[in-house]
Amino acid sequence: MGGKVLFDSGEHKVFLFEELTPASAVQANQFLIVHGEEAILLDPGGHKVQSKLFADISVLVPPKNIKYIFLSHQDPDIVASINYWLMTTEANAIISKLWTRFLPHFGLDSKLEGRVMSVDDGGTRIELGKGCELLIIPAHFMHSPGNFQVYDPCSKILFSGDLGASLGQDYSVVEDFDAHLRFMEGFHRRYMASGRVMKLWAKMVRGLDIEVIAPQHGAVFKGKEMVGRFIDWVESLECGVDLLSEKDYTLP
Ligand code: FE
């Protein structure tokens, strides 16, 4: 199996791992971005994935080249393996400042806590290899209150975390956007906090040159037209608190 190539310019490569999750767990994608001699692993996942992912990555780059482990938010399908990754690599973890003190509850050894970089709400930029600067952009309340996405200007891929997640389809690239909606709608209506944040996000990312949107679950959106359709959909979606009323808050 191993990683699937999403982008390859020689110096800059992006790999997707989509088949490592056990059947009973929600399917999760992991991504590796390599620029020159350095790599960043995005949303590594949980304990059931860690050793298979390590083996697959080892074929592609020496694990000591992994400089960063990016954690879009605090969920177990993203963070649960963090102790393993900090033990087996020399990487620093990157996560919202809202969640740094929750990592020890996932078993992060106290000796490793100094390798966690906490990100302020405005996001940040990090240099990978020599000459590729990644943007860590705000995606708060999509769905987590402290939530970031990664934009890679070298591949023009936006790694969107739970935004754009799809569940249950049998393909890994979206070909028909309208037919794909039924695999996304339920999740986004329930997990994304509100239409207000969806609109703010859409406005922000229209300032980026995006060729691919790659979510942490399910299929990826490829090409400017598909990316545009996705952003338009996000911008107009009613979700989260927009949909709640008194009937949702009655005593059981
Ligand atoms: Fe999540």
Side-chain angles (χ1 to χ4, degrees), residues 73 75 77-78 143 162 191 216-217:
H73 62 292
D75 274 350
D77 56 327
I78 286 161
H143 64 93
D162 276 331
Y191 279 74
Q216 193 231 341
H217 307 279

Side-chain angles (χ1 to χ4, degrees), residues 211-228:
E211 284 293 338
V212 174
I213 291 182
Q216 193 231 341
H217 307 279
V220 304
F221 302 87
K222 277 190 179 171
K224 285 252 160 31
E225 195 192 323
M226 206 53 92
V227 165

Side-chain angles (χ1 to χ4, degrees), residues 149-167:
Q149 299 173 345
V150 174
Y151 174 68
D152 169 9
C154 301
S155 65
K156 300 185 179 174
I157 301 175
L158 175 64
F159 300 91
S160 60
D162 276 331
L163 189 71
S166 55
L167 299 168

Side-chain angles (χ1 to χ4, degrees), residues 100-250:
T100 41
R101 299 191 64 228
F102 290 69
L103 297 187
H105 287 286
F106 277 116
L108 181 65
D109 194 280
S110 58
K111 291 192 283 294
L112 300 171
E113 286 170 17
R115 282 163 56 199
V116 177
M117 298 162 56
S118 68
V119 181
D120 285 333
D121 281 346
T124 187
R125 291 168 181 249
I126 55 168
E127 171 114 29
L128 189 68
K130 283 192 178 61
C132 188
E133 192 179 51
L134 304 173
L135 271 66
I136 311 296
I137 67 172
H140 308 308
F141 297 100
M142 305 174 92
H143 64 93
S144 167
N147 205 132
F148 290 101
Q149 299 173 345
V150 174
Y151 174 68
D152 169 9
C154 301
S155 65
K156 300 185 179 174
I157 301 175
L158 175 64
F159 300 91
S160 60
D162 276 331
L163 189 71
S166 55
L167 299 168
Q169 73 289 346
D170 60 1
Y171 48 85
S172 53
V173 177
V174 180
E175 301 288 350
D176 180 337
F177 188 82
D178 295 307
H180 186 63
L181 282 176
R182 67 188 183 97
F183 300 110
M184 295 199 292
E185 270 174 337
F187 172 79
H188 286 77
R189 288 213 169 97
R190 183 65 180 82
Y191 279 74
M192 298 296 143
S194 84
R196 178 175 154 83
V197 294
M198 300 294 254
K199 285 183 175 58
L200 292 170
W201 177 88
K203 190 172 179 222
M204 173 184 67
V205 299
R206 284 189 206 284
L208 297 171
D209 182 9
I210 304 170
E211 284 293 338
V212 174
I213 291 182
Q216 193 231 341
H217 307 279
V220 304
F221 302 87
K222 277 190 179 171
K224 285 252 160 31
E225 195 192 323
M226 206 53 92
V227 165
R229 288 221 52 195
F230 177 72
I231 296 171
D232 290 346
W233 176 74
V234 166
E235 189 170 39
S236 63
L237 190 73
E238 289 201 315
C239 58
V241 296
D242 307 347
L243 303 174
L244 295 175
S245 64
E246 233 173 273
K247 71 172 180 5
D248 298 298
Y249 289 83
T250 55

